[in-house]
């Protein structure tokens, strides 16, 4: 007779798989691995003392960039053509290949850089709310402009050297392409399939379910919801969702843009407060395709933003996507519920503002 007693499943102690309906893939959750000691690579903490203006920084107002072009003396957002674009509008067609193993297609587009603010020593959570609204308005303007021609307009921000960002000045990039890239194409297929089976947009139903369950909610408002998704891969990955059905960022009302600015600042403040550093991440917006797809029925789509931060245990220890993740499937080291609870319980006052107040400087709180 066996002495083994039946063990009840606990997601914090027992590995299990979770389904990602946006990618039609599975994620291995192994939260018990957080108990192991860490003797691996330790990253250099991000630079905290960044000058407000650096005459050598090519993104600062009035400065000369590598190609000799001079930035305007901007005082808000500023957009210019990427000096070293991955996509160009006039690239030649490679022609048709006969063999199925050696296929190629034409790739054309434009790449733009967008500065959020004239100062290099601020980030989105430290900007004032009306300044973040201007960022959102410019995003919508670029999607409107480029989306008349191109099927996909990708807004993305790489923040911090850990995410490959070589310049600390607050900025993002906007790439428009004549093709639908792999990730949005996969998301389009998955959302379409769900809509056909269930008669409701996947992420609209998902936001409602998460709002009711609460356990993965980080911050919320009447118009917006931020969760650590049930299927999250990165340790503190989040998904930002509108509560109503919205296809594209251009469809947001003025009130929703105000609310978006507020909830972005709240989320990013919590990120920074987690390890009291300027939190690195890659983020980007996904919405219904544009260009020729504007005339199609895209009711299956729901606007959303992904945030992918790499940090795991501290400001200097990140999650590595190597080995098993590259050769088998995605794996995470703490449950999404644990990550959401940690973020949710953090204060919404930025640690830098708190430090300024404790120093007795009498500095007015940012964001008012």
């Amino acid at each position: 007779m066996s002495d083994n007693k039946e063990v009840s499943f606990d997601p914090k102690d027992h590995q299990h798989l979770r389904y990602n309906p946006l990618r039609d893939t599975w994620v291995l959750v192994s939260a018990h691995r957080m108990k192991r000691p860490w003797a691996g690579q330790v990253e250099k903490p991000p630079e905290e003392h960044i000058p407000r203006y650096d005459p050598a920084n090519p993104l600062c107002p009035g400065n000369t960039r590598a190609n000799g072009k001079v930035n305007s003396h901007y005082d808000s957002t500023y957009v210019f053509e990427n000096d070293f674009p991955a996509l160009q509008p006039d690239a030649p067609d490679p022609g048709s290949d006969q063999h199925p193993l050696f296929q190629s297609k034409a790739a054309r587009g434009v790449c733009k850089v967008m500065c959020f603010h004239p100062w290099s020593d601020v980030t989105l959570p430290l900007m004032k709310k009306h300044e973040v609204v201007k960022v959102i308005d410019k995003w919508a303007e670029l999607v409107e402009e480029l989306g008349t021609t191109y099927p996909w307009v990708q807004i993305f921000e790489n923040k911090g050297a850990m995410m490959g960002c070589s310049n600390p000045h607050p900025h993002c990039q906007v790439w428009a392409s004549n093709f639908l890239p792999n990730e949005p194409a996969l998301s389009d297929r998955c959302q379409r399939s769900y809509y056909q089976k269930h008669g409701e947009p996947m992420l609209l139903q998902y936001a409602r379910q998460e709002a009711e369950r609460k356990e993965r909610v980080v911050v919320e408002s009447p118009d917006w919801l931020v969760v650590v998704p049930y299927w999250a891969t990165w340790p503190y990955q989040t998904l930002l969702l509108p509560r109503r059905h919205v296809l594209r960022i251009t469809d947001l009302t003025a009130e929703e843009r105000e609310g978006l600015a507020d909830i972005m600042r709240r989320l990013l403040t919590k990120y920074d407060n987690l390890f009291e550093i300027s939190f690195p991440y890659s983020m980007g917006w996904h919405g219904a395709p544009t260009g020729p797809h504007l005339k199609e029925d895209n009711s299956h789509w729901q606007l959303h933003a992904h945030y992918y931060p790499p940090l795991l245990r501290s400001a200097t220890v990140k999650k590595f996507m190597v080995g098993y993740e590259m050769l088998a499937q995605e794996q995470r080291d703490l449950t999404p519920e644990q990550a959401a609870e940690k973020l949710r319980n953090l204060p919404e006052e930025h640690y830098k503002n708190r430090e300024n107040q404790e120093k007795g400087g009498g500095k007015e709180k940012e964001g008012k």
Side-chain angles (χ1 to χ4, degrees):
M1 183 177 179
S2 173
D3 293 331
N4 292 337
K5 295 181 179 180
E6 185 175 345
V7 179
S8 298
F9 172 75
D10 186 336
K12 298 187 296 295
D13 293 325
H14 305 119
Q15 68 268 16
H16 59 286
L17 298 173
R18 295 195 182 190
Y19 181 63
N20 181 349
L22 269 178
R23 303 191 75 252
D24 192 23
T25 57
W26 292 84
V27 179
L28 174 61
V29 181
S30 311
H32 58 281
R33 281 168 53 86
M34 288 294 288
K35 299 175 184 177
R36 77 193 193 283
W38 179 256
Q41 180 171 320
V42 176
E43 308 294 329
K44 181 181 178 181
E47 175 62 49
E48 287 288 296
H49 303 289
I50 297 168
R52 179 156 293 182
Y53 170 78
D54 180 353
N57 189 326
L59 297 185
C60 285
N63 286 0
T64 302
R65 304 198 302 274
N67 62 356
K69 293 185 178 180
V70 180
N71 297 332
S72 71
H73 291 276
Y74 63 94
D75 58 5
S76 181
T77 60
Y78 177 60
V79 178
F80 61 91
E81 299 284 340
N82 194 312
D83 297 330
F84 305 97
L87 291 163
Q88 297 175 320
D90 54 357
D93 194 320
S96 57
D97 293 317
Q98 300 301 314
H99 199 285
L101 296 178
F102 302 98
Q103 299 184 53
S104 60
K105 291 182 179 180
R108 301 186 183 94
V110 295
C111 299
K112 295 180 181 287
V113 176
M114 172 182 161
C115 296
F116 296 152
H117 197 280
W119 297 351
S120 294
D121 61 344
V122 300
T123 54
L124 283 168
L126 292 170
M127 288 168 56
K128 296 175 182 177
K129 181 178 176 180
H130 75 270
E131 294 173 330
V132 181
V133 171
K134 289 182 179 179
V135 171
I136 296 165
D137 287 341
K138 183 60 69 172
W139 282 343
E141 182 182 314
L142 288 167
V143 170
E144 184 80 34
E145 172 195 335
L146 299 172
T148 58
T149 303
Y150 293 101
W152 189 254
V153 181
Q154 183 61 64
I155 299 167
F156 66 96
E157 178 193 5
N158 293 326
K159 179 170 176 273
M162 197 177 292
M163 301 309 292
C165 182
S166 59
N167 195 314
H169 195 89
H171 71 286
C172 72
Q173 298 189 54
V174 182
W175 293 13
S177 61
N178 70 333
F179 56 91
L180 200 58
N182 292 340
E183 289 299 315
L186 178 58
S187 181
D188 179 73
R189 177 175 64 80
C190 291
Q191 290 182 83
R192 186 185 300 274
S193 176
Y194 192 92
Y195 185 80
Q196 290 173 345
K197 291 178 182 177
H198 301 279
E200 183 179 15
M202 175 202 298
L203 291 179
L204 188 62
Q205 187 178 103
Y206 178 69
R208 187 170 64 250
Q209 288 282 330
E210 287 286 29
E212 292 173 357
R213 298 174 185 233
K214 300 291 186 186
E215 58 185 338
R216 285 173 294 274
V217 173
V218 177
V219 287
E220 59 181 325
S221 70
D223 293 325
W224 295 94
L225 181 74
V226 177
V227 300
V228 178
Y230 179 77
W231 53 82
T233 299
W234 292 96
Y236 294 97
Q237 175 180 334
T238 53
L239 183 63
L240 171 56
L241 296 160
R243 290 185 185 265
R244 75 171 179 94
H245 191 198
V246 181
L247 296 185
R248 302 175 182 89
I249 197 168
T250 51
D251 299 329
L252 295 176
T253 66
E255 183 179 357
E256 287 168 334
R257 295 182 190 194
E258 292 269 348
L260 176 57
D262 183 64
I263 207 160
M264 285 173 57
R265 291 173 68 248
R266 291 170 63 195
L267 169 65
L268 298 179
T269 294
K270 285 179 177 289
Y271 269 161
D272 284 4
N273 285 344
L274 181 61
F275 300 129
E276 295 199 343
I277 59 159
S278 186
F279 207 67
Y281 59 76
S282 282
M283 71 79 62
W285 286 97
H286 280 179
T290 51
H293 303 285
L294 290 169
K295 299 178 181 179
E296 299 172 358
D297 181 4
N298 287 288
S299 300
H300 56 288
W301 264 94
Q302 174 73 330
L303 176 71
H304 58 284
H306 295 283
Y307 285 84
Y308 299 132
L311 292 178
L312 175 60
R313 295 168 177 259
S314 69
T316 58
V317 177
K318 71 177 183 179
K319 167 69 177 176
F320 287 89
M321 292 291 185
V322 297
Y324 188 86
E325 289 90 345
M326 295 177 73
L327 298 167
Q329 71 179 60
E330 298 167 337
Q331 182 269 334
R332 64 177 288 118
D333 295 326
L334 77 164
T335 68
E337 295 75 29
Q338 290 171 317
E341 183 178 16
K342 285 185 178 182
L343 292 173
R344 185 170 56 245
N345 291 337
L346 289 167
E348 294 192 8
E349 180 184 17
H350 199 280
Y351 75 93
K352 286 189 175 181
N353 292 334
R354 188 168 64 247
E355 287 174 354
N356 289 333
Q357 290 176 352
E358 290 172 355
K359 289 176 182 176
K363 181 179 179 181
E364 184 180 356
K365 187 188 292 185
E366 296 280 0
K368 293 293 185 183

